[in-house]
Amino acid sequence: MNMKSILSHAPASPVTRLLILLACLTGTSIVSSAGAQNRQTVVSIEGESFHVNGLPTYDGRTWTTSDGDEHSIEGLLMNARLVQGVFDDLNLETRGQWAYPDTRRWDPDRNTNEFARALAGWREHGLIGFTVNLQGGCPYGYCRSQPWENSAFAPDGSLRGAYMERLARILDRADELGMIAILGYFYFGQDERLEDEVAVVRAVENATEWVLEHGYRNVIVEINNECNIAYDHAILRCDRVDELIERVQSIERDGHSLLVSTSLGGGSVPPANVVAASDYVLLHGNGVRDPERIVEMIRSVRSMDAYAPMPIVVNEDDQPWRVEEQGWGEHGNNFVVAVKQGASWGYFDFRREDEATEYNLGHQSVPVNWQITSDRQRDFFELLAEVTGSPGTPDIDLEWGPDFGVVQVHVENADGARVDRVDLVINDAVVASTTGGSGRLEIGAMPWSEHWVRVRATYHRGDRAVVIESPAYKNPWWPYGGRGD
């Protein structure tokens, strides 16, 4: 290949092009040390199915309902909207509102570390995919204005190193676990922080090149969340976002490029230009109270002239827990009807206005407790485990002992999981531990002060370490009795 051809196929970053040109002139090679890492998880698409390392996801799995109906889930990407994994707020005037209840300060590294620690527990329930965004999502679930600044992109489209370092922690762990990240680039309410359309294109190129240069093969891209909502930059709106989809697809490294799509608001079917450009189709179920509408959306996509066989993925839906008529049974909710139509489905959970102080609720509300710590989270993950034939995780909780300072821990094993270690955590610090055993354990002596308490258990599934935690509880003895959460 001659120099002109090399440059025509090179990533569009000027810096990258210059390095390639120098390499051609000097005869040297350029190898990214990050990209040279030995990655374990490679995602691909064949027809309507996702594959990992050459095999369809949930290989051979059929979900049989209690009435005897059988539904293949092979090739699906069961997922959850977990977009705040790299969240931060660069606006000093709003940053304080994200403080953790136990330490009373915000810590973006803690947020990412706890996300990465929770991944294996989600995987135990059969979750393979998750959406994480470089500009997050509304930290209150739904927002009209966003004065905070949460963006991995600087105004000129360059990458902010701290954000990308946190993202690497998540992607590294996901790669180890055989999980697929749906990486969202832009979110409305934050996209205007890029100074112009040139910066938007530059941000797309920089993020794509970063993923490829770091050797990640377990990442697929969502250009922006809901392109038919209020985006300031015209290129991020539905009628032009296909330009960015194609831009990502055109960037290659070692013969590899990223799979790309984008989403629309709840209940909307993407237009032909988006479907024609995409490698997979994204749908949202927010606001879809009648599950039959999910069926209509999926069938509508498949009937489009622009549609070639490709996976259909719902990656945002909060209706099963918000609409009483839906719930988490085998029938009659958006989750199960999507699966029965051969489409993947994604859970979206946040704290409602009357739940604002409930730290154990809401996987989108900051600060996030990333563990499975609420009834509705357990309902979703237990149904997911049933559908995917996965073992789930042991149940873990605590109760206050008969004497001051004693916490009794109860761990109920799941599918033969043997608990190796239990830690008592007070205000995010491990203060006491015990090894081995299961069932009821008495552990720890708590200080006489205001604090938050949780317990953490570690076990292994094969060579995979899994960490699970109880909900976090406020000290019931301070300033007087009564258990609170």
Side-chain angles (χ1 to χ4, degrees):
M1 183 180 293
N2 61 36
M3 187 180 302
K4 181 178 179 180
S5 179
I6 290 173
L7 290 174
S8 69
H9 287 78
S13 163
V15 173
T16 303
R17 287 177 175 269
L18 178 59
L19 289 173
I20 293 174
L21 178 59
L22 290 173
C24 292
L25 293 174
T26 62
T28 59
S29 62
I30 301 173
V31 178
S32 166
S33 59
Q37 296 182 44
N38 183 25
R39 301 300 182 188
Q40 302 179 38
T41 303
V42 178
V43 59
S44 60
I45 289 175
E46 293 188 18
E48 296 192 19
S49 296
F50 285 97
H51 284 59
V52 171
N53 298 339
L55 294 175
T57 57
Y58 311 110
D59 190 15
R61 171 66 183 172
T62 298
W63 173 41
T64 304
T65 59
S66 59
D67 54 12
D69 289 342
E70 295 184 348
H71 306 279
S72 173
I73 66 162
E74 185 176 271
L76 298 187
L77 183 62
M78 308 308 290
N79 66 94
R81 179 177 171 84
L82 305 167
V83 295
Q84 311 290 26
V86 297
F87 179 90
D88 198 5
D89 185 358
L90 306 182
N91 183 348
L92 297 181
E93 294 183 1
T94 56
R95 185 180 177 89
Q97 65 189 294
W98 319 121
Y100 286 95
D102 51 9
T103 61
R104 296 183 177 178
R105 66 184 182 88
W106 166 244
D107 184 345
D109 289 308
R110 171 181 172 179
N111 176 62
T112 295
N113 290 340
E114 290 185 349
F115 183 109
R117 189 162 65 216
L119 275 168
W122 303 331
R123 184 71 177 84
E124 286 282 271
H125 289 85
L127 194 80
I128 291 180
F130 61 92
T131 301
V132 60
N133 286 354
L134 294 179
Q135 291 190 326
C138 173
Y140 292 109
Y142 295 98
C143 300
R144 292 186 177 180
S145 63
Q146 297 184 51
W148 45 85
E149 183 174 357
N150 173 37
S151 178
F153 305 115
D156 65 355
S158 59
L159 301 178
R160 287 173 166 149
Y163 273 85
M164 305 313 289
E165 192 280 329
R166 291 195 298 274
L167 178 63
R169 281 182 249 163
I170 290 173
L171 299 183
D172 286 347
R173 182 59 174 153
D175 178 68
E176 294 171 0
L177 295 168
M179 299 180 73
I180 298 167
I182 305 170
L183 180 59
Y185 285 179
F186 303 104
Y187 186 73
F188 55 84
Q190 296 295 319
D191 72 298
E192 58 263 40
R193 299 191 181 281
L194 285 98
E195 56 194 19
D196 53 27
E197 188 169 298
V198 172
V200 172
V201 174
R202 186 180 298 121
V204 166
E205 294 172 349
N206 287 337
T208 303
E209 290 171 5
W210 183 93
V211 172
L212 293 172
E213 288 169 2
H214 283 72
Y216 293 114
R217 300 294 183 93
N218 62 327
V219 174
I220 62 179
V221 173
E222 178 181 8
I223 292 290
N224 55 338
N225 178 78
E226 302 183 348
C227 62
N228 58 337
I229 310 298
Y231 278 94
D232 280 36
H233 298 292
I235 199 170
L236 288 169
R237 298 171 195 157
C238 292
D239 58 342
R240 290 189 57 201
V241 71
D242 54 302
E243 298 174 35
L244 296 178
I245 292 174
E246 292 169 354
R247 186 72 200 99
V248 172
Q249 293 166 333
S250 72
I251 300 173
E252 293 188 359
R253 187 178 183 88
D254 299 327
H256 177 69
S257 59
L258 301 180
L259 302 168
V260 200
S261 187
T262 199
S263 62
L264 279 77
S268 299
V269 174
N273 66 308
V274 169
V275 173
S278 296
D279 295 300
Y280 62 103
V281 176
L282 285 172
L283 301 176
H284 284 181
N286 303 337
V288 181
R289 299 179 63 89
D290 183 357
E292 282 305 306
R293 174 56 185 158
I294 296 291
V295 176
E296 292 173 0
M297 292 163 64
I298 294 168
R299 290 177 175 172
S300 177
V301 169
R302 288 191 173 127
S303 67
M304 295 174 67
D305 291 339
Y307 175 79
M310 69 181 87
I312 298 175
V313 181
V314 178
N315 76 324
E316 181 178 340
D317 196 339
D318 57 8
Q319 296 300 279
W321 65 268
R322 297 186 70 193
V323 178
E324 185 176 355
E325 294 79 13
Q326 290 208 18
W328 296 104
E330 293 181 336
H331 307 280
N333 63 65
N334 291 355
F335 176 7
V336 296
V337 299
V339 170
K340 292 174 183 179
Q341 291 295 313
S344 309
W345 191 85
Y347 171 67
F348 170 36
D349 182 29
F350 62 94
R351 292 193 280 271
R352 292 174 289 200
E353 188 172 343
D354 61 348
E355 300 169 336
T357 62
E358 302 290 336
Y359 172 56
N360 295 314
L361 299 178
H363 276 158
Q364 181 159 310
S365 302
V366 183
V368 188
N369 186 338
W370 290 112
Q371 293 286 331
I372 302 170
T373 53
S374 72
D375 289 342
R376 63 183 180 240
Q377 291 166 0
R378 292 188 191 96
D379 288 342
F380 161 65
F381 278 102
E382 287 174 4
L383 178 57
L384 177 65
E386 175 190 331
V387 170
T388 60
S390 302
T393 56
D395 292 330
I396 180 172
D397 210 341
L398 63 86
E399 59 183 301
W400 313 110
D403 301 318
F404 170 73
V406 175
V407 173
Q408 294 180 327
V409 180
H410 183 72
V411 183
E412 181 179 333
N413 288 353
D415 193 30
R418 182 179 64 84
V419 174
D420 302 314
R421 178 187 177 94
V422 177
D423 298 314
L424 176 66
V425 182
I426 296 179
N427 290 355
D428 200 36
V430 175
V431 299
S433 302
T434 185
T435 56
S438 60
R440 299 178 69 87
L441 301 172
E442 291 195 3
I443 180 172
M446 293 186 293
W448 179 247
S449 63
E450 183 176 11
H451 54 259
W452 288 72
V453 183
R454 56 196 157 110
V455 288
R456 178 184 302 154
T458 303
Y459 70 96
H460 283 77
R461 179 81 61 188
D463 59 0
R464 176 192 303 165
V466 183
V467 178
I468 57 173
E469 294 182 358
S470 75
Y473 298 108
K474 202 172 184 178
N475 174 13
W477 293 295
W478 184 268
Y480 44 81
R483 173 172 171 170
D485 56 6

